[in-house]
Structure formats: structure tokens, C-alpha cells
Amino acid sequence: MTVLVTGGAGYIGAHAVLALADAGEDVVVLDDLSTGVADAVPDGVRLVVGDVANAALVTRILAEYGIREIMHFAAKIVVPDSVADPLGYYDANTVKTRALLAVAVAAGVERLVFSSTAAVYGEPDLPLIAEDCAPAPINPYGRSKLMSEWMIRDTAAAHGLDYAVLRYFNVAGADPRGRAGQSSRSATHLIKVAAQAALGARPGLSIFGTDYATPDGTCLRDYVQVSDLADAHVAALRHLRSEGGRLTLNCGYGTGASVREVVDTVRRVSGLDFDVVEAPRRAGDPAALVADATLIREVLAWEPRHADLDTIVAQALAWERRLGNGGERVRAAG
């Protein structure tokens, strides 16, 4: 059975494609390459360049390859950008998901694994966020994804579609074998930015907000390694195939690290120092987002293999060097 992966040339999608291919699955990638990279699609996997909202194109792909399963990653993901351009985010993340669902239903697609986000929770005053926490997103990115979740749920009720919604916390790291990583130079992921700063690809790093109600005043996040996350997608698809039931699951480790802790880890693991400046808070950033990851471990028997911040940082540094971002900076003290 062939799996269609939308956004499969992007950061998380490319790792999911690798996990599917490693598991012996037949995969077709659909990506408009607006942020994805064609070289991220491994040899032997077909890449179709196009828009997920192009109904004629998607209809043709589903028919040509007999596709009954979709992993949907195609989206815009930068929270501050969503605040500045809400309509662009509602279009990319909500309107285009609606278009994909319409074609999928018409073509008889049976299973969908959807890339969602912890941003749907907003800013709950909880040490760990479980799936039954009432969604209350505080930015257009989170709202655009929550709307998509609602559409998927309602479509499933009307048309029998089986689905798994995976709510990511902060994704980081790279394929341990060096086959994929975060390739966009303009990415805003903290660990990538810090790795670039350490290796000289950026002049430094800004800490956005130092007055949050967290132990050191900076934002607290649950960093989940990208290959572990990809494995969760494969496990979710297998769960749906076995008629295990529809799912909405957190993807995180249940432990948080602050921005300052990440900066210190990158300095220590790289042995390099870099400039850090303190800046005002960014619009739409919650103070803390840490998963209650109990359910995904129980339901999918998911056992992360890379749940260690030092390991994640080392992978990110190795990937940046592979991209050519390997300039030496001042050695860190100690």
C-alpha cells in the first residue's frame, strides 16, 4: 500500500518519509518546495512538486498510486509569522487542509495521520499538558491547526475516515545517520539557531523574553527528537491499520528545558562560545509547554530512542556541519 506524504520534503516530513521507507513502505511525496528541499527526499521515493490544495493534482496522485493513506505535514509553522500574517496561515494550514480532505473523501482514502501542534493548548497553567486539556490557542498558528483538527474529526464522523492527530511539542535534532535534518537557513527552531550561532553561520542568538514565570525567566519547552517523532507517525499508522481506533496524542517526552539551558547545552556540547543578547518577548509565545506523554507510550507502545538533550544538540551540530556551517568560533570556557 502506498502512503502519500504531503510536505515530505520538509524537516519533519522528510524524517517521516525515511521512517516509512526504512519500514518497507511505498511512499509518494507531494511538496511545493516553498520551504522543503528536493534533496531531502531519499532515492527511490517519488516526489511530485505541487500544491496540496490543487484538487486535480491530488486526485490524479491518489488514483495513479492507489493511495488509501495520507500523512499530512504541509503547513506553515512559525508562530510570530502567524501573528503578522494570520490570513496566510489560515489559508496554508486550514483552507488547504479542507481542500485535501475533500479530495481524500471523494477518492476513498481510509486513513489520515495529521501533523498538529501543542500550540492548540495555548498557555495552560499546568506542569504537564495532557490531551484532555481544553484547547485555547493564543496565536493564529495554533488556531489554524485546531480548526484543521475539528475538520478532520467532523469529516471522520460523516465519512468513516480513520485518523491520528499528533500534537508536537518542540521538534529538534536530525537523523542519527545524517540523512536528513533542518535545512532551512531561515528556520526559527531554537536548537538549530543556537547550533548555527556556535558554528558561525549566524552572528549570534537572541533570547526572546527573560521575565516569564519559569525557573530562570525564559521559555520552557519539551524538545522531542525528530526521528523519535517520525517513529511515532509510523506507529500511529500501524495502529489505524489494526483498527485500533481514532487518536489524538501528544508527542513529547514529558520533560522541559529552558532557553538558557539549551544555550548552555549547545555551548558545552560544541565547545564553542557565541554571542547571546536578551530581547523582548515575541508575540504569541507561551511561557511553558511540556507534554504529559503517558498516552502515546501506552497506546502506541512508543519508546523514544533519542530522549536526551545532549544527543539532540549533537545531532543538530553534526547536521549544520554537513550543510557547510562549520566555521570555528571562540572556544567556550571550561
Side-chain angles (χ1 to χ4, degrees):
M1 188 175 296
T2 301
V3 182
L4 175 64
V5 179
T6 73
Y11 175 41
I12 301 171
H15 286 80
V17 170
L18 286 173
L20 287 165
D22 288 347
E25 301 282 353
D26 191 37
V27 181
V28 174
V29 169
L30 174 62
D31 199 300
D32 66 5
L33 302 184
S34 58
T35 57
V37 179
D39 287 346
V41 179
D43 292 341
V45 173
R46 289 151 296 204
L47 168 64
V48 180
V49 179
D51 193 325
V52 71
N54 184 331
L57 175 62
V58 176
T59 298
R60 178 180 65 77
I61 294 169
L62 298 181
E64 181 176 347
Y65 297 104
I67 290 167
R68 293 293 179 268
E69 299 173 332
I70 298 174
M71 286 190 182
H72 180 34
F73 296 93
K76 292 186 175 185
I77 62 169
V78 181
V79 168
D81 287 355
S82 79
V83 176
D85 180 25
L87 294 180
Y89 270 68
Y90 290 126
D91 179 50
N93 296 355
T94 311
V95 174
K96 292 188 178 185
T97 295
R98 187 265 171 208
L100 177 66
L101 286 171
V103 172
V105 167
V109 168
E110 299 169 4
R111 288 172 282 275
L112 174 73
V113 180
F114 178 63
S115 165
S116 192
T117 172
V120 302
Y121 294 117
E123 202 166 12
D125 186 19
L126 297 167
L128 297 176
I129 303 167
E131 290 85 353
D132 60 1
C133 177
I138 63 171
N139 52 61
Y141 169 59
R143 285 189 281 270
S144 71
K145 285 290 193 174
L146 182 58
M147 289 179 186
S148 295
E149 288 191 17
W150 289 340
M151 285 193 297
I152 291 166
R153 182 191 64 195
D154 292 342
T155 301
H159 300 287
L161 179 71
D162 278 338
Y163 67 83
V165 169
L166 301 184
R167 292 173 173 169
Y168 311 162
F169 282 65
N170 279 53
V171 187
D175 174 59
R177 294 164 56 185
R179 298 174 295 173
Q182 172 54 278
S183 296
S184 173
R185 286 184 174 272
S186 61
T188 59
H189 298 74
L190 173 61
I191 289 177
K192 179 181 176 69
V193 170
Q196 289 177 318
L199 298 174
R202 290 179 186 246
L205 176 148
S206 296
I207 295 178
F208 295 102
T210 59
D211 59 346
Y212 288 97
T214 60
D216 66 13
T218 65
C219 288
L220 195 67
R221 296 290 185 266
D222 189 336
Y223 291 93
V224 57
Q225 196 271 347
V226 65
S227 297
D228 282 345
L229 180 60
D231 289 343
H233 285 75
V234 176
L237 184 59
R238 288 173 174 161
H239 172 91
L240 296 179
R241 287 175 177 173
S242 68
E243 300 183 357
R246 297 163 182 162
L247 299 172
T248 298
L249 299 173
N250 288 338
C251 290
Y253 294 146
T255 56
S258 73
V259 175
R260 292 195 193 279
E261 288 173 324
V262 169
V263 170
D264 290 345
T265 301
V266 173
R267 283 173 165 159
R268 176 170 48 77
V269 172
S270 69
L272 300 167
D273 201 3
F274 50 93
D275 291 335
V276 175
V277 298
E278 296 182 0
R281 296 183 182 190
R282 295 185 303 188
D285 274 350
L289 286 174
V290 181
D292 182 334
T294 304
L295 194 58
I296 189 171
R297 292 173 183 265
E298 291 179 350
V299 174
L300 299 184
W302 181 59
E303 292 294 338
R305 297 173 293 158
H306 311 285
D308 174 76
L309 187 59
D310 281 25
T311 298
I312 293 170
V313 165
Q315 292 169 351
L317 287 162
W319 181 253
E320 292 305 314
R321 290 190 172 102
R322 186 180 180 90
L323 292 176
N325 299 333
E328 292 296 305
R329 297 185 65 82
V330 179
R331 288 281 161 187

